[in-house]
Amino acid sequence: MSTKKEYAIKVDHVTKKFKIYYDKANTLKEQLVFWKSKSKVEERTVLDNINLEIKKGETVALVGTNGSGKSTLLKLMTKIIYPTKGKIITVGKLTSLLELGAGFHDDFTGRENIYFNASIFGLTKSEIDDKVDDIIAFSELGEFIDNPVRTYSSGMYMRLAFSVAINVNAEILLIDEILAVGDQHFQDKCFEKLEKLKHSDKTIVIVSHSLDSIRKLCDRAIWIKDGHIKMDGEANLVIDKYLEECK
Amino acid sequence: MQLAKNLYNYRELLKSNVKKEIRGKYKGSFLGVLWSFVNPLLQVAVYAIVFPYIMRVQTDNYLIYLIIGIIPWTFFTTVINQGMITVRMNAGIIKKVYFPREILPISVALSGLVNFLISCIIILLFCIFGGVGLSWHLIFLPIIAIIQFILTLGIVFALSAINIYIKDTEYLIAFVINMLFYATPILYEATLFPEKIRWILYLNPMTQLIDAYRNIFLYHQVPDLNGFIYLVLVAVILFFLGLFIFRKLEKGFAEEV
């Protein structure tokens, strides 16, 4: 009976192709004039027939060299972009930290941005009211929270963004290369928080190049190479193999 | 169904977006939000001077006649103009976060509706002090306003999505709206046209809408039933057609924008 609910993310025969325009025809005239010169468009297959199942409660890392397609896979999971072929099913509320501070308004104060950012993640006012103190405490911004965000240093900005995203209580958390947030103290804190989330029943997918933290945090790693899954298994095992090839 | 569920789940985002639309537009100006009411009034002032004196229009209560035409028209055009570019303007968050994309055009249309309902106070004031008075027919106002909202939203759904793929849409529509202004009896009366060709004017849903507004504000009449049925039909068809186009195109927003 529970077979249906076992997975949190299911990637089913997914292929993603991007159209590379060398000179994109944006206006009607250009489209009419250049409609025959198809040579300007090139299709690039970024992900080729990926099959993947991530179980509920797993902490999974995606590793691979630059341009291997791991970030694209993560974007597909968040439904920012859609697969060319195949489909992706996610079960439960999903939060993504692809880029910190997406949707922040520079003129709004930190507190207002917490409300705005959390509402993008689909929270209601009362839910945010309950969490706002936790978020502020976690960000350690103190009295700066009521200053406009444009006066923040980049570190403070990141801390606020990370605090919002990690406190929205999603069942699935997708993180892209942002473990290096803030100073050492804050990094440790983020790491601790992720460890804690890991031991609750949250599903976490991380794209990262800091392999040491992956070893500590993840039970499973998926190595993506040129749009294919090269290896999928226990984190240390996969990372060892990956490092071997990188040499 | 999906639409209703999304809107319910993301109601906080919708709310703050509507607020942003209403406040953000005139941000930094001295009069702020007041501009959305001053603007149509200034427009009315121009026409009220030009038409009776230069063009010799002889409509009773011409000033009120004008206002009841201009204010719904402003509702229509501001929503179209702002809605058309809303997806493009929000490219930043579209590329980075998932949220139901339809929130964007809906926020624009909702902020337009709120603005319009507040602007209706101006119409009411003119009716009271202009000697026309008020009547129970005003109970039709919310219904007509909602029909206009649905109709405009449908158009905005389609245009905001198409505009991502073909940027010309923006310029083309600006022209079409300009034309439509003269194809709608806002400045003149429909009876100006011989009865044989007048029906063409009434194919334009904006004609029907403004007619309905004038009936309830100015003539103290129940809106014309046939026109009303036609309006509801057009609004519903445009809404679902627009939503369909939006759904077809929204998957490519993050890549194309």
Short mmCIF file of all heavy atoms in Angstrom, two decimals, chain A residues 151-196:
data_model
loop_
_atom_site.label_atom_id
_atom_site.label_comp_id
_atom_site.label_asym_id
_atom_site.label_seq_id
_atom_site.Cartn_x
_atom_site.Cartn_y
_atom_site.Cartn_z
N THR A 151 20.97 48.01 2.35
CA THR A 151 22.08 48.44 3.19
C THR A 151 22.87 47.26 3.75
O THR A 151 23.85 47.45 4.45
CB THR A 151 21.55 49.27 4.38
OG1 THR A 151 20.70 48.43 5.17
CG2 THR A 151 20.77 50.48 3.92
N TYR A 152 22.44 46.04 3.42
CA TYR A 152 23.10 44.85 3.97
C TYR A 152 24.40 44.56 3.24
O TYR A 152 24.55 44.85 2.07
CB TYR A 152 22.19 43.62 3.83
CG TYR A 152 21.03 43.56 4.78
CD1 TYR A 152 20.61 44.69 5.48
CD2 TYR A 152 20.34 42.37 4.98
CE1 TYR A 152 19.54 44.63 6.33
CE2 TYR A 152 19.26 42.31 5.84
CZ TYR A 152 18.85 43.45 6.51
OH TYR A 152 17.80 43.38 7.35
N SER A 153 25.31 43.93 3.97
CA SER A 153 26.49 43.39 3.29
C SER A 153 26.07 42.09 2.60
O SER A 153 25.01 41.54 2.91
CB SER A 153 27.58 43.10 4.31
OG SER A 153 27.23 41.96 5.07
N SER A 154 26.89 41.62 1.67
CA SER A 154 26.46 40.42 0.94
C SER A 154 26.31 39.23 1.88
O SER A 154 25.45 38.38 1.70
CB SER A 154 27.44 40.11 -0.18
OG SER A 154 28.73 39.96 0.34
N GLY A 155 27.14 39.19 2.91
CA GLY A 155 27.03 38.10 3.87
C GLY A 155 25.71 38.14 4.62
O GLY A 155 25.05 37.11 4.80
N MET A 156 25.30 39.33 5.03
CA MET A 156 24.04 39.48 5.76
C MET A 156 22.86 39.09 4.88
O MET A 156 21.91 38.44 5.32
CB MET A 156 23.88 40.93 6.24
CG MET A 156 24.80 41.31 7.37
SD MET A 156 25.04 43.10 7.45
CE MET A 156 23.50 43.65 8.11
N TYR A 157 22.94 39.51 3.64
CA TYR A 157 21.92 39.20 2.65
C TYR A 157 21.73 37.69 2.54
O TYR A 157 20.62 37.16 2.61
CB TYR A 157 22.41 39.77 1.32
CG TYR A 157 21.40 39.90 0.22
CD1 TYR A 157 20.61 41.04 0.12
CD2 TYR A 157 21.26 38.91 -0.74
CE1 TYR A 157 19.70 41.19 -0.91
CE2 TYR A 157 20.36 39.05 -1.78
CZ TYR A 157 19.58 40.19 -1.86
OH TYR A 157 18.69 40.32 -2.88
N MET A 158 22.85 37.01 2.39
CA MET A 158 22.83 35.55 2.26
C MET A 158 22.27 34.90 3.51
O MET A 158 21.51 33.95 3.43
CB MET A 158 24.26 35.03 2.06
CG MET A 158 24.87 35.43 0.76
SD MET A 158 23.95 34.74 -0.61
CE MET A 158 25.25 34.52 -1.77
N ARG A 159 22.67 35.43 4.66
CA ARG A 159 22.20 34.83 5.91
C ARG A 159 20.69 34.93 6.02
O ARG A 159 20.01 33.97 6.40
CB ARG A 159 22.87 35.53 7.09
CG ARG A 159 24.04 34.74 7.63
CD ARG A 159 25.06 35.59 8.31
NE ARG A 159 24.51 36.50 9.31
CZ ARG A 159 25.22 37.49 9.86
NH1 ARG A 159 26.47 37.67 9.50
NH2 ARG A 159 24.67 38.28 10.74
N LEU A 160 20.17 36.09 5.66
CA LEU A 160 18.72 36.27 5.74
C LEU A 160 18.01 35.31 4.77
O LEU A 160 17.06 34.62 5.14
CB LEU A 160 18.35 37.72 5.40
CG LEU A 160 16.87 38.04 5.47
CD1 LEU A 160 16.35 37.86 6.89
CD2 LEU A 160 16.58 39.46 5.01
N ALA A 161 18.52 35.25 3.54
CA ALA A 161 17.88 34.41 2.53
C ALA A 161 17.90 32.94 2.95
O ALA A 161 16.90 32.23 2.83
CB ALA A 161 18.59 34.58 1.19
N PHE A 162 19.05 32.53 3.46
CA PHE A 162 19.16 31.13 3.87
C PHE A 162 18.22 30.83 5.03
O PHE A 162 17.57 29.79 5.08
CB PHE A 162 20.61 30.83 4.27
CG PHE A 162 20.88 29.38 4.48
CD1 PHE A 162 21.19 28.57 3.39
CD2 PHE A 162 20.83 28.80 5.74
CE1 PHE A 162 21.43 27.23 3.56
CE2 PHE A 162 21.07 27.45 5.92
CZ PHE A 162 21.37 26.66 4.83
N SER A 163 18.14 31.77 5.97
CA SER A 163 17.28 31.57 7.13
C SER A 163 15.83 31.40 6.74
O SER A 163 15.11 30.58 7.30
CB SER A 163 17.39 32.76 8.09
OG SER A 163 18.73 33.01 8.37
N VAL A 164 15.39 32.19 5.76
CA VAL A 164 13.99 32.07 5.32
C VAL A 164 13.78 30.70 4.70
O VAL A 164 12.88 29.95 5.09
CB VAL A 164 13.62 33.15 4.28
CG1 VAL A 164 12.19 32.96 3.82
CG2 VAL A 164 13.80 34.54 4.86
N ALA A 165 14.64 30.37 3.75
CA ALA A 165 14.41 29.15 2.98
C ALA A 165 14.45 27.91 3.87
O ALA A 165 13.69 26.96 3.67
CB ALA A 165 15.45 29.03 1.88
N ILE A 166 15.33 27.93 4.85
CA ILE A 166 15.50 26.71 5.64
C ILE A 166 14.42 26.58 6.70
O ILE A 166 14.18 25.52 7.24
CB ILE A 166 16.92 26.67 6.25
CG1 ILE A 166 17.35 25.22 6.37
CG2 ILE A 166 16.99 27.39 7.56
CD1 ILE A 166 18.82 25.05 6.19
N ASN A 167 13.75 27.68 6.98
CA ASN A 167 12.72 27.63 8.02
C ASN A 167 11.29 27.52 7.49
O ASN A 167 10.35 27.62 8.25
CB ASN A 167 12.83 28.87 8.91
CG ASN A 167 13.94 28.72 9.92
OD1 ASN A 167 13.96 27.77 10.71
ND2 ASN A 167 14.91 29.61 9.88
N VAL A 168 11.13 27.36 6.18
CA VAL A 168 9.76 27.31 5.67
C VAL A 168 9.10 25.95 5.87
O VAL A 168 7.93 25.77 5.56
CB VAL A 168 9.64 27.69 4.17
CG1 VAL A 168 9.97 29.14 3.97
CG2 VAL A 168 10.48 26.81 3.32
N ASN A 169 9.86 25.00 6.39
CA ASN A 169 9.27 23.71 6.74
C ASN A 169 8.76 22.93 5.54
O ASN A 169 7.69 22.36 5.58
CB ASN A 169 8.08 23.94 7.69
CG ASN A 169 8.32 23.22 8.99
OD1 ASN A 169 9.22 22.36 9.07
ND2 ASN A 169 7.55 23.54 10.00
N ALA A 170 9.53 22.92 4.49
CA ALA A 170 9.12 22.14 3.34
C ALA A 170 9.50 20.67 3.56
O ALA A 170 10.38 20.38 4.36
CB ALA A 170 9.80 22.67 2.09
N GLU A 171 8.82 19.79 2.86
CA GLU A 171 9.17 18.38 3.00
C GLU A 171 10.34 18.01 2.10
O GLU A 171 11.08 17.08 2.38
CB GLU A 171 7.96 17.50 2.65
CG GLU A 171 6.94 17.47 3.77
CD GLU A 171 5.52 17.59 3.27
OE1 GLU A 171 5.10 16.72 2.48
OE2 GLU A 171 4.82 18.55 3.65
N ILE A 172 10.47 18.75 1.01
CA ILE A 172 11.60 18.52 0.12
C ILE A 172 12.41 19.82 0.01
O ILE A 172 11.84 20.88 -0.21
CB ILE A 172 11.13 18.11 -1.29
CG1 ILE A 172 10.20 16.90 -1.21
CG2 ILE A 172 12.32 17.79 -2.18
CD1 ILE A 172 9.57 16.54 -2.53
N LEU A 173 13.71 19.70 0.18
CA LEU A 173 14.56 20.88 0.12
C LEU A 173 15.60 20.67 -0.97
O LEU A 173 16.35 19.70 -0.95
CB LEU A 173 15.23 21.05 1.48
CG LEU A 173 15.89 22.37 1.80
CD1 LEU A 173 14.87 23.49 1.81
CD2 LEU A 173 16.57 22.30 3.16
N LEU A 174 15.61 21.57 -1.94
CA LEU A 174 16.59 21.47 -3.01
C LEU A 174 17.60 22.60 -2.87
O LEU A 174 17.22 23.76 -2.77
CB LEU A 174 15.90 21.58 -4.38
CG LEU A 174 14.76 20.60 -4.63
CD1 LEU A 174 14.12 20.89 -5.98
CD2 LEU A 174 15.23 19.17 -4.58
N ILE A 175 18.87 22.24 -2.81
CA ILE A 175 19.89 23.25 -2.54
C ILE A 175 20.97 23.21 -3.61
O ILE A 175 21.50 22.15 -3.92
CB ILE A 175 20.53 23.01 -1.16
CG1 ILE A 175 19.44 22.95 -0.09
CG2 ILE A 175 21.52 24.10 -0.84
CD1 ILE A 175 19.96 22.55 1.26
N ASP A 176 21.26 24.38 -4.17
CA ASP A 176 22.27 24.43 -5.22
C ASP A 176 23.47 25.25 -4.77
O ASP A 176 23.42 26.47 -4.74
CB ASP A 176 21.66 25.03 -6.50
CG ASP A 176 22.58 24.85 -7.70
OD1 ASP A 176 23.69 24.32 -7.51
OD2 ASP A 176 22.19 25.25 -8.80
N GLU A 177 24.54 24.57 -4.45
CA GLU A 177 25.84 25.22 -4.27
C GLU A 177 25.80 26.43 -3.35
O GLU A 177 26.30 27.48 -3.68
CB GLU A 177 26.34 25.66 -5.66
CG GLU A 177 27.82 25.83 -5.77
CD GLU A 177 28.56 24.60 -5.33
OE1 GLU A 177 28.61 23.64 -6.10
OE2 GLU A 177 29.07 24.59 -4.21
N ILE A 178 25.21 26.27 -2.21
CA ILE A 178 25.16 27.45 -1.35
C ILE A 178 25.58 27.10 0.06
O ILE A 178 25.24 27.79 1.00
CB ILE A 178 23.76 28.06 -1.31
CG1 ILE A 178 22.73 26.96 -1.18
CG2 ILE A 178 23.49 28.90 -2.50
CD1 ILE A 178 21.68 27.30 -0.23
N LEU A 179 26.30 26.00 0.21
CA LEU A 179 26.72 25.64 1.57
C LEU A 179 27.74 26.64 2.10
O LEU A 179 27.96 26.73 3.29
CB LEU A 179 27.30 24.23 1.58
CG LEU A 179 26.22 23.16 1.41
CD1 LEU A 179 26.83 21.78 1.29
CD2 LEU A 179 25.21 23.19 2.54
N ALA A 180 28.31 27.40 1.20
CA ALA A 180 29.30 28.37 1.63
C ALA A 180 28.65 29.72 1.90
O ALA A 180 28.89 30.69 1.21
CB ALA A 180 30.39 28.51 0.58
N VAL A 181 27.80 29.76 2.89
CA VAL A 181 27.10 30.99 3.21
C VAL A 181 27.73 31.64 4.43
O VAL A 181 27.90 30.99 5.46
CB VAL A 181 25.62 30.70 3.51
CG1 VAL A 181 24.93 31.98 3.93
CG2 VAL A 181 24.94 30.10 2.32
N GLY A 182 28.05 32.90 4.32
CA GLY A 182 28.51 33.65 5.48
C GLY A 182 29.84 33.20 6.04
O GLY A 182 30.59 32.48 5.38
N ASP A 183 30.11 33.63 7.26
CA ASP A 183 31.40 33.31 7.88
C ASP A 183 31.39 31.88 8.43
O ASP A 183 30.39 31.18 8.37
CB ASP A 183 31.73 34.32 8.98
CG ASP A 183 30.55 34.49 9.94
OD1 ASP A 183 29.73 33.55 10.03
OD2 ASP A 183 30.44 35.55 10.56
N GLN A 184 32.55 31.49 8.97
CA GLN A 184 32.70 30.11 9.45
C GLN A 184 31.62 29.75 10.46
O GLN A 184 31.01 28.69 10.40
CB GLN A 184 34.08 29.95 10.08
CG GLN A 184 34.47 28.50 10.33
CD GLN A 184 34.42 27.67 9.04
OE1 GLN A 184 34.93 28.09 8.01
NE2 GLN A 184 33.78 26.53 9.10
N HIS A 185 31.36 30.69 11.37
CA HIS A 185 30.38 30.44 12.41
C HIS A 185 29.00 30.13 11.82
O HIS A 185 28.34 29.19 12.21
CB HIS A 185 30.30 31.66 13.32
CG HIS A 185 29.07 31.72 14.15
ND1 HIS A 185 28.85 30.86 15.21
CD2 HIS A 185 27.97 32.50 14.07
CE1 HIS A 185 27.68 31.13 15.75
NE2 HIS A 185 27.12 32.11 15.08
N PHE A 186 28.62 30.94 10.83
CA PHE A 186 27.29 30.74 10.25
C PHE A 186 27.25 29.48 9.40
O PHE A 186 26.24 28.77 9.38
CB PHE A 186 26.89 31.97 9.41
CG PHE A 186 25.44 31.98 9.04
CD1 PHE A 186 24.47 32.27 9.99
CD2 PHE A 186 25.03 31.67 7.76
CE1 PHE A 186 23.13 32.26 9.66
CE2 PHE A 186 23.68 31.66 7.42
CZ PHE A 186 22.74 31.96 8.38
N GLN A 187 28.34 29.20 8.72
CA GLN A 187 28.41 27.96 7.93
C GLN A 187 28.19 26.74 8.80
O GLN A 187 27.44 25.83 8.46
CB GLN A 187 29.78 27.85 7.26
CG GLN A 187 29.85 28.56 5.94
CD GLN A 187 31.16 28.28 5.24
OE1 GLN A 187 31.67 27.16 5.30
NE2 GLN A 187 31.69 29.27 4.58
N ASP A 188 28.87 26.74 9.96
CA ASP A 188 28.71 25.61 10.88
C ASP A 188 27.26 25.48 11.31
O ASP A 188 26.72 24.39 11.42
CB ASP A 188 29.60 25.81 12.11
CG ASP A 188 31.07 25.74 11.74
OD1 ASP A 188 31.37 25.23 10.64
OD2 ASP A 188 31.91 26.19 12.53
N LYS A 189 26.67 26.63 11.52
CA LYS A 189 25.28 26.64 11.98
C LYS A 189 24.35 26.07 10.90
O LYS A 189 23.44 25.29 11.20
CB LYS A 189 24.90 28.08 12.30
CG LYS A 189 23.73 28.19 13.21
CD LYS A 189 23.62 29.63 13.67
CE LYS A 189 22.19 29.97 13.94
NZ LYS A 189 22.04 31.38 14.28
N CYS A 190 24.56 26.48 9.67
CA CYS A 190 23.76 25.96 8.56
C CYS A 190 23.92 24.45 8.46
O CYS A 190 22.96 23.72 8.25
CB CYS A 190 24.21 26.57 7.23
SG CYS A 190 23.86 28.29 7.10
N PHE A 191 25.16 24.05 8.60
CA PHE A 191 25.46 22.63 8.50
C PHE A 191 24.71 21.85 9.57
O PHE A 191 24.11 20.81 9.31
CB PHE A 191 26.97 22.44 8.66
CG PHE A 191 27.46 21.23 7.94
CD1 PHE A 191 27.72 21.28 6.58
CD2 PHE A 191 27.63 20.04 8.62
CE1 PHE A 191 28.15 20.16 5.92
CE2 PHE A 191 28.07 18.91 7.96
CZ PHE A 191 28.33 18.97 6.60
N GLU A 192 24.76 22.40 10.77
CA GLU A 192 24.07 21.77 11.89
C GLU A 192 22.57 21.66 11.61
O GLU A 192 21.96 20.63 11.85
CB GLU A 192 24.25 22.66 13.12
CG GLU A 192 24.82 21.96 14.33
CD GLU A 192 25.17 23.00 15.38
OE1 GLU A 192 24.21 23.54 15.97
OE2 GLU A 192 26.38 23.29 15.55
N LYS A 193 22.03 22.76 11.07
CA LYS A 193 20.59 22.80 10.77
C LYS A 193 20.24 21.73 9.72
O LYS A 193 19.24 21.03 9.84
CB LYS A 193 20.21 24.19 10.25
CG LYS A 193 18.76 24.36 9.89
CD LYS A 193 17.91 24.66 11.11
CE LYS A 193 16.44 24.66 10.72
NZ LYS A 193 15.56 24.94 11.85
N LEU A 194 21.10 21.62 8.71
CA LEU A 194 20.85 20.62 7.67
C LEU A 194 20.93 19.21 8.26
O LEU A 194 20.12 18.34 7.93
CB LEU A 194 21.88 20.76 6.54
CG LEU A 194 21.63 21.92 5.57
CD1 LEU A 194 22.77 22.04 4.59
CD2 LEU A 194 20.31 21.71 4.82
N GLU A 195 21.89 19.00 9.17
CA GLU A 195 22.00 17.69 9.84
C GLU A 195 20.71 17.37 10.58
O GLU A 195 20.19 16.26 10.52
CB GLU A 195 23.15 17.71 10.85
CG GLU A 195 24.51 17.73 10.21
CD GLU A 195 25.25 16.42 10.39
OE1 GLU A 195 25.94 16.29 11.41
OE2 GLU A 195 25.13 15.54 9.53
N LYS A 196 20.18 18.41 11.24
CA LYS A 196 18.96 18.22 12.02
C LYS A 196 17.80 17.88 11.09
O LYS A 196 17.00 16.99 11.36
CB LYS A 196 18.67 19.50 12.81
CG LYS A 196 18.13 19.22 14.22
CD LYS A 196 17.49 20.45 14.80
CE LYS A 196 18.43 21.24 15.69
NZ LYS A 196 17.87 22.57 16.02
#
